[in-house]
Amino acid sequence: MRFSLLIYSILLFFMSCCLCSCDSSEKTNRQYTYFGGEIVNPNTNYVVLSDGVGLNDTIQLDKNNRFLHKIENLKEGLYSFRHNPENQIVLLEQGDSVLIRLNTIEFDESLVFTGDGARKNNFLIDMFLQNETEREKIRRTGLRLSPSYFKRHQDSLLNFKVKAYKKFIDKYELSDLAKKLTQASFKFDYYTRHELYFNRRYGIAGLDSSKDLPLSFFSYRNNINYNDDELKRLYAYNRFLNFYFTNASLTNYSKEFPLYKNRIGSTIYKLNLVDSLIYHPYIKNNLLRRVTTKFLLESRDNIEANKVLSHYLSVSSNKKSQKELRKLSRAISRLRPNKIIPEQPLITSNGETIKLSSLFKKPITAFYFWSMDRKDHYIRAHKKASYLNTLHPEIDFIAINTDDEQTKNWLKTIKRHHYNLNNEYEFKYPKCSSEELVIHNRNKVILVDNEGKIINANTDLFSSVFEKQLMHYSRLANVEN
């Protein structure tokens, strides 16, 4: 649906008036709910609004990069809106008129909500960004803290957010659903940090939780609803569930099988644990899919991958996910060492279409991947590749852009940064190529020899062992030559 600038401006005025004057009873009596906004520097000409179950509406941008969508018979709750390749959530309730404004260069950081229903959504995005920052600090320094000090610090942060939340709900009238979701947005992140801390400490240092952790460390677990329909789309809730089941399976499996050496057995145990505790179909299938996907991506051979996939298929009820994971497993099987890398068409900086295989000119070629939606990543990636190339001139480092329908912006970007155009390419068919080469990780590097045989299809550009791997592979290549 396309709206002129005049209609859009009138609606914005109307929504602003509603924000100031309408009470909750008037809002809930409205027949329709509206979701609209403006995308600055759009990547595509549409936005997709989805509830993850049945609704999946594609909303076109007008010539001013604005959109507006009217929803009848709204089912209140969390929705996701996607502007390729990014997505975020929005809480919609009956009668809301929510507008967004964002810049794709800083998608989450620039996102602002206006209109009736904006305050609860601005609270959610503020918590999302704050939680991201605090989790990053934990990964950098928090894991070195003692368990008791870690808990005291996290309790202090939680108390600060609880006070801010109470002021928020005292000042503004919110529905019970909005209160529940805004509170869950920071409480479940608090829970996740404890699970993250335990997971990293247990896995790295062999921490004996019964001796080192405070008795109240996991007290929140007693009050968790693992099948909460209203929270099923909340990032903080899903992140917590993922870490919780990882830790629960790790602890329980290691007790029953103390050596804890069988990755296949531990993963199947985790799948069974999810199957036994989760009865909500959406939540269960998402967790089962996430566990299995992670294992397949890290699998070392087709035998162990097929065993876990087979068990996943026996407990999952989502036919679409089953089909997708079968496809993923087949793609991974074609990327094992000594296999020939699947052919892909590429676009050069001159606009020509060439084959991936035409780039195998040196003993080793390293393909790394990037997208314009993560400027910090592609700048770091190019710097790291340039540095490694000075250490290993016998290795070609080839950058491939994975963005869809972004050729003009891609060319502007590589020229603006003065990258070597002879080493810069773009997938002609990004979605298909990304699936065939299994690009699930931005840091992924695929190493092939001069015949296109895969040396390593799943190494990490920023990994501490990557440089050692390059030295090892380079020596082997020199010996063979």
Side-chain angles (χ1 to χ4, degrees):
M1 184 182 297
R2 294 178 179 272
F3 286 79
S4 69
L5 178 59
L6 176 61
I7 294 176
Y8 183 89
S9 300
I10 292 173
L11 183 69
L12 177 59
F13 173 77
F14 167 75
M15 294 165 73
S16 299
C17 291
C18 289
L19 179 63
C20 299
S21 61
C22 291
D23 60 27
S24 60
S25 61
E26 291 176 344
K27 185 169 78 73
T28 53
N29 287 330
R30 294 181 198 154
Q31 189 174 2
Y32 303 113
T33 301
Y34 290 91
F35 174 65
E38 179 182 8
I39 310 293
V40 180
N41 298 313
N43 296 322
T44 62
N45 63 348
Y46 61 88
V47 171
V48 178
L49 182 68
S50 172
D51 65 357
V53 182
L55 178 71
N56 199 45
D57 290 343
T58 299
I59 312 165
Q60 296 294 322
L61 303 183
D62 66 15
K63 63 181 180 180
N64 298 300
N65 299 327
R66 297 184 174 107
F67 68 96
L68 187 66
H69 189 57
K70 182 172 74 172
I71 307 169
E72 301 181 48
N73 304 316
L74 175 83
K75 181 181 178 182
E76 298 185 326
L78 286 171
Y79 290 73
S80 68
F81 61 91
R82 179 174 181 83
H83 182 71
N84 197 37
E86 298 276 13
N87 64 83
Q88 192 47 264
I89 59 171
V90 57
L91 170 55
L92 294 176
E93 297 179 276
Q94 183 65 37
D96 278 348
S97 299
V98 177
L99 288 178
I100 65 169
R101 190 178 191 279
L102 62 87
N103 190 323
T104 58
I105 295 175
E106 296 288 344
F107 191 95
D108 295 324
E109 292 78 6
S110 67
L111 175 59
V112 177
F113 295 88
T114 57
D116 200 356
R119 289 188 176 109
K120 61 198 175 190
N121 283 295
N122 281 323
F123 186 95
L124 287 172
I125 191 64
D126 287 345
M127 282 297 106
F128 174 84
L129 294 172
Q130 191 171 340
N131 290 336
E132 273 195 333
T133 300
E134 292 175 1
R135 281 197 311 276
E136 184 58 33
K137 288 182 179 178
I138 291 175
R139 290 188 173 95
R140 290 201 306 266
T141 61
L143 298 175
R144 297 196 292 267
L145 301 176
S146 69
S148 58
Y149 187 85
F150 173 85
K151 179 165 175 54
R152 286 199 302 272
H153 180 58
Q154 294 306 315
D155 287 347
S156 176
L157 292 175
L158 176 64
N159 289 335
F160 179 80
K161 291 176 182 175
V162 168
K163 290 178 181 178
Y165 166 76
K166 288 181 178 178
K167 287 182 180 179
F168 177 68
I169 62 174
D170 287 343
K171 186 174 181 180
Y172 304 111
E173 184 178 357
L174 270 69
S175 68
D176 290 341
L177 175 62
K179 288 178 182 177
K180 176 180 179 179
L181 290 168
T182 50
Q183 184 180 51
S185 68
F186 60 85
K187 278 204 167 182
F188 275 94
D189 205 82
Y190 165 82
Y191 304 155
T192 299
R193 296 172 196 189
H194 288 67
E195 302 293 338
L196 171 64
Y197 177 88
F198 176 78
N199 181 271
R200 297 294 188 266
R201 293 280 296 228
Y202 189 100
I204 296 173
L207 181 69
D208 186 339
S209 60
S210 64
K211 294 180 181 178
D212 296 85
L213 294 182
L215 293 176
S216 61
F217 197 83
F218 290 128
S219 59
Y220 57 83
R221 285 182 175 180
N222 299 323
N223 302 312
I224 301 295
N225 178 0
Y226 297 95
N227 294 275
D228 198 317
D229 181 72
E230 292 177 333
L231 299 182
K232 68 179 184 291
R233 303 278 289 172
L234 187 68
Y235 294 143
Y237 180 70
N238 285 290
R239 189 179 294 110
F240 163 74
L241 290 180
N242 187 52
F243 272 103
Y244 167 75
F245 278 99
T246 296
N247 288 338
S249 60
L250 170 68
T251 303
N252 296 338
Y253 184 78
S254 61
K255 286 179 180 177
E256 296 181 27
F257 307 95
L259 294 180
Y260 191 61
K261 291 183 178 179
N262 191 331
R263 292 179 65 251
I264 300 174
S266 64
T267 303
I268 289 176
Y269 187 95
K270 185 176 180 180
L271 292 172
N272 288 336
L273 190 63
V274 171
D275 185 45
S276 65
L277 295 181
I278 303 293
Y279 54 80
H280 189 290
Y282 180 91
I283 298 173
K284 174 186 282 192
N285 283 309
N286 274 358
L287 279 169
L288 293 174
R289 176 193 172 103
R290 194 174 296 123
V291 172
T292 307
T293 298
K294 185 176 187 298
F295 183 89
L296 293 177
L297 292 173
E298 297 174 353
S299 62
R300 292 167 293 203
D301 58 60
N302 293 340
I303 295 176
E304 64 176 25
N306 290 337
K307 285 183 179 179
V308 170
L309 177 64
S310 177
H311 193 77
Y312 160 79
L313 295 173
S314 72
V315 292
S316 167
S317 62
N318 189 309
K319 300 299 181 184
K320 181 180 178 181
S321 292
Q322 291 178 4
K323 182 179 179 180
E324 290 174 349
L325 288 192
R326 286 192 183 99
K327 184 177 180 180
L328 174 64
S329 181
R330 289 194 295 270
I332 291 172
S333 70
R334 292 191 287 268
L335 295 176
R336 300 295 183 193
N338 295 319
K339 295 270 190 177
I340 299 295
I341 188 170
E343 187 68 273
Q344 307 298 324
L346 303 175
I347 299 175
T348 72
S349 59
N350 294 324
E352 300 174 354
T353 298
I354 64 168
K355 293 181 178 180
L356 184 76
S357 57
S358 67
L359 301 178
F360 310 149
K361 298 174 181 177
K362 290 190 177 182
I364 298 176
T365 303
F367 295 103
Y368 65 102
F369 310 92
W370 63 281
S371 169
M372 283 176 287
D373 68 292
R374 283 289 184 269
K375 183 177 180 180
D376 58 335
H377 170 266
Y378 74 69
I379 289 176
R380 287 180 60 232
H382 280 82
K383 285 183 178 178
K384 184 65 181 289
S386 178
Y387 165 72
L388 292 174
N389 192 221
T390 60
L391 297 179
H392 303 282
E394 74 282 4
I395 299 177
D396 256 343
F397 287 83
I398 304 296
I400 301 180
N401 180 264
T402 61
D403 292 312
D404 193 15
E405 302 173 351
Q406 287 290 300
T407 299
K408 289 184 179 179
N409 289 334
W410 164 65
L411 287 171
K412 289 180 182 177
T413 300
I414 60 177
K415 290 177 181 178
R416 183 172 68 249
H417 288 281
H418 305 290
Y419 295 145
N420 184 347
L421 300 184
N422 294 324
N423 294 332
E424 297 289 335
Y425 299 88
E426 180 186 44
F427 282 135
K428 186 171 184 177
Y429 305 110
K431 186 176 184 297
C432 180
S433 293
S434 294
E435 288 177 353
E436 289 190 3
L437 298 182
V438 194
I439 304 173
H440 282 237
N441 180 354
R442 293 181 186 276
N443 300 338
K444 174 169 178 161
V445 178
I446 300 178
L447 298 170
V448 300
D449 66 14
N450 57 3
E451 295 180 347
K453 288 183 180 179
I454 294 172
I455 300 170
N456 190 327
N458 200 30
T459 190
D460 189 317
L461 182 62
F462 301 104
S463 167
S464 59
V465 301
F466 183 52
E467 291 187 39
K468 295 180 181 178
Q469 290 176 333
L470 290 181
M471 291 176 64
H472 173 69
Y473 297 142
S474 295
R475 289 196 201 101
L476 290 179
N478 289 332
V479 170
E480 291 178 0
N481 288 335

